Amino acid sequence: MSTFTSALPIGKVLHSTINTEAVASASGLNQRPFGFGSASARSAAPAIEPAALRRHAQIVRFCDVEADLDLLIDRAIAAIADGEPIEDEILGHYVHIASLVRAVSFREGKLLEQAVERLAKANPNITVLTQSLKLPLVKAALEAVSGNDWQSLDGVKLDCEAPAKGSYTPDLIVVNRARHTAYILDVKRSLASYGDTSRLEELKMKMMASAMVLPDWLYKHHKRMMVDTVEVAIVDGASRPSDHTTGIWALCEIDDLLEIDGVAACMAQLRLRFGRRVQQLLEAEARKALGVVAMAISDTAPAAAIVANPLIALNGPSRAYEEEQAMVAPHDDDGHYDLGCFDEDHDEEPEPVRIRVGFARRPRRH
């Protein structure tokens, strides 16, 4: 294990009359070699474009990337529509709708990754890695992250070829060559499903452990690429309230990760257009399903009968709840509540039994 400490080179990313980098330095907002995403700016870039109000030197406008983003949307929609659902007795004619919804959840995340990669090209200092990103989870890194505060690991770098326990594949690795900074990004369409589970903490652990070996991994596997700062960020596509101290970034703040004005606005427009196409697809499939159901109903029963009996009496036409309880109540002499089996006379030590475990098999016939 080797350690190093390096200062983050100061880059000229703001074109304004206020030296915000000096303000950030005076406020103690210094970047660390390892940490959660902590770019110099902490909020989304404004929509105003005058140079004096710009946050970053680079800018991207939707009109310049509209064709490319529309092509990504078309591919995502085509992949969603091409899916072949498996028949389901419960979902019936609506299985196609359920299949589309599941495909949307997967394809939206991929779409966001591809869009970030495309928009990052507006900054010539940034390289986005998307292929073969299998980072080893080195045992020493996992132990260090689980047993220490993240801040105390500042400056620690580990060998990527050391003994590992599995691997982690991030969605994107963004390398800012001018700053010698690498970001490990995990882009989620929404973090709503992570709220009450431990999956989010497990994801952070993997990302932080990977960050400790990333400098060595980049140098050995990506043409001697060198970085002295690694930060991790989980990007929430739904742009819920972020928490940079724990690595959570809203999609609307991505301008500051890429140091490009206008990326968040382009991503918002992308999600809007993708949402419209998805809803059109779902509506068309829903109409098909309802048409099949309507045909089945018309063939089996007249419409007047369906309207006349809109509700189903689960307890029968005239049976009350009390009557149901009386029917299912056990008789006094049925022995269901006989506790005689727990008498002290029968309290003996059980004989040893050989327990066999294995996969379930059909019972043998006698």
Side-chain angles (χ1 to χ4, degrees), residues 23 57 82 120 130 135 153 248 292 312 340 344 364:
V23 174
D82 288 343
T130 60
L135 302 178
L153 300 176
I248 306 299
V292 172
I312 300 176
E344 295 182 358
R364 297 179 180 178

Side-chain angles (χ1 to χ4, degrees), residues 149-202:
D149 186 76
W150 184 232
Q151 284 78 9
S152 65
L153 300 176
D154 185 8
V156 179
K157 180 180 69 174
L158 300 180
D159 185 357
C160 68
E161 297 178 354
K165 298 172 64 176
S167 61
Y168 163 68
T169 302
D171 294 331
L172 301 169
I173 295 178
V174 177
V175 180
N176 189 318
R177 300 187 306 276
R179 290 184 175 273
H180 301 283
T181 302
Y183 295 97
I184 298 178
L185 301 185
D186 205 298
V187 183
K188 302 296 184 185
R189 64 179 297 271
S190 174
L191 289 179
S193 60
Y194 288 79
D196 299 328
T197 67
S198 61
R199 291 188 300 151
L200 188 60
E201 293 303 319
E202 293 175 359

Side-chain angles (χ1 to χ4, degrees), residues 4-7 31-35 153-156 182 211 215 228-231:
F4 75 106
T5 304
S6 59
Q31 289 184 326
R32 304 186 307 274
F34 295 109
L153 300 176
D154 185 8
V156 179
D228 53 31
T229 302
V230 180
E231 298 183 352

Side-chain angles (χ1 to χ4, degrees), residues 55-70:
R55 299 186 64 88
H56 305 293
Q58 311 300 331
I59 188 171
V60 61
R61 299 176 178 84
F62 184 77
C63 59
D64 298 330
V65 295
E66 181 177 5
D68 292 342
L69 297 184
D70 282 343

Side-chain angles (χ1 to χ4, degrees), residues 35-37 186 191 204 207 232-235 243-249:
F36 294 114
D186 205 298
L191 289 179
K204 291 179 184 178
M207 296 178 73
V232 302
I234 301 173
V235 181
D243 185 2
H244 298 170
T245 60
T246 60
I248 306 299
W249 281 66

